[in-house]
Amino acid sequence: MEYLIKVMPSGHEFHALEQETLLDAALRSGLSVDFSCSSGSCGNCRARLLEGELGKHDFQDHRLSEAEKAQGLFLLCTAHAAGDLVIEAGEATSTCDIPRQQIKARVSKTQEVSEHLRILQLRTPRSSPLRFLAGQHVELTLPSVGSLDSSIASCPCNGSQLQFHIPYEPENPFVEQLFTGLRYGSVIEVDGPFGEMTLDDDSPRPLLMVAQDHELGPIKSLIEHAINLDVTQQVRLIWLARDGQHYLDNFCRSWGETLDDYRYFSLAYDEGELDEAQVVCVLHTIKEDIGTLVDWDIYGAGSGDFNQALHQGLIGAGADQQRLFFPARRSFGHLSREVASG
């Protein structure tokens, strides 16, 4: 059975299956409800039942007092629905509502995409999933080796499984360790999240996503989050990759099976081609497919120079400067990254 859950005071709604917890259902649907451990230990996902009837409750270490139970309080991470519900629960409305976290995760998989790119998969402890918003980034640290700032490429619907797209960068100890063979189960410390480039969940405006090379990562997170929100507006993805190395090409095409109005454009550029020339190619594609950009929310992710050139080009093409979103990077240890403007 599937039930409709309405969350107050936001008015957001999601559907929950009988066999899943309300927290899992809310996250799967793209809602950023308050939680921490997701295992019934901390009590941070407390909510209040306003209407309806709860079903079974999974085991929880955190004990609610009789007074709290009398007020209708329960834990989202252990409660199941027995029918349609109206509940009161906290939700993140901005990055300020997401706490900074320090988590020790373990390597679950490394994928050699090419000679110059690896996809890193981390698994957090069940009691400590990472809470983040799509588009954010974290500091990754290999103890006694080095640190790296990297965008999260996975969906916030599952903070226990984290994905990162990491290019080769010489003289970076963290990257060198990853490319020469990072062992399964190795501990990596995750600190964050950081960043303000997040999806405006309540915006009805169409979405344009532009990615350069491995910076598909944060764009991937944003699109997967949009899918979970069941967005109905137009979504356009332009992915510009050196020498046509679109390592997730089929995956990007597959989003068209889920999104109502989605188009994907894979563009290639030659090594050594200037960022300005790449942006001209992007703007030509936009002109051919979209035309005016006045009513669009636009998210771009690439190198610092590419982002600056793209920002200027989009403004020149009529985009609303207040609806342009680019990631900013920090520098850690031996790694120096450019900071995008916009």
Side-chain angles (χ1 to χ4, degrees), residues 86-100:
V86 179
I87 64 174
E88 181 182 35
E91 295 179 74
T93 58
S94 72
T95 56
C96 297
D97 299 323
I98 303 294
R100 181 174 174 175

Side-chain angles (χ1 to χ4, degrees), residues 207-282:
L207 302 170
L208 171 60
M209 309 285 188
V210 181
Q212 180 196 46
D213 295 322
H214 69 278
E215 291 293 349
L216 175 71
I219 298 299
K220 173 178 175 288
S221 180
L222 288 167
I223 293 178
E224 290 181 339
H225 179 56
I227 289 173
N228 284 342
L229 289 173
D230 199 22
V231 299
T232 57
Q233 60 261 48
Q234 299 177 71
V235 179
R236 299 291 183 264
L237 169 61
I238 299 176
W239 184 14
L240 191 71
R242 185 179 63 185
D243 300 325
Q245 296 180 14
H246 299 87
Y247 54 91
L248 289 181
D249 193 52
N250 289 335
F251 191 79
C252 291
R253 296 184 190 281
S254 71
W255 286 326
E257 300 174 4
T258 307
L259 293 164
D260 292 336
D261 189 348
Y262 169 78
R263 291 181 190 171
Y264 163 55
F265 302 89
S266 57
L267 307 180
Y269 71 94
D270 298 327
E271 184 173 2
E273 185 174 329
L274 296 177
D275 292 291
E276 290 77 6
Q278 298 173 39
V279 169
V280 168
C281 185
V282 170

Side-chain angles (χ1 to χ4, degrees), residues 184-199:
Y184 172 84
S186 296
V187 173
I188 293 183
E189 297 171 355
V190 180
D191 182 12
F194 309 103
E196 301 294 326
M197 189 188 76
T198 60
L199 198 68

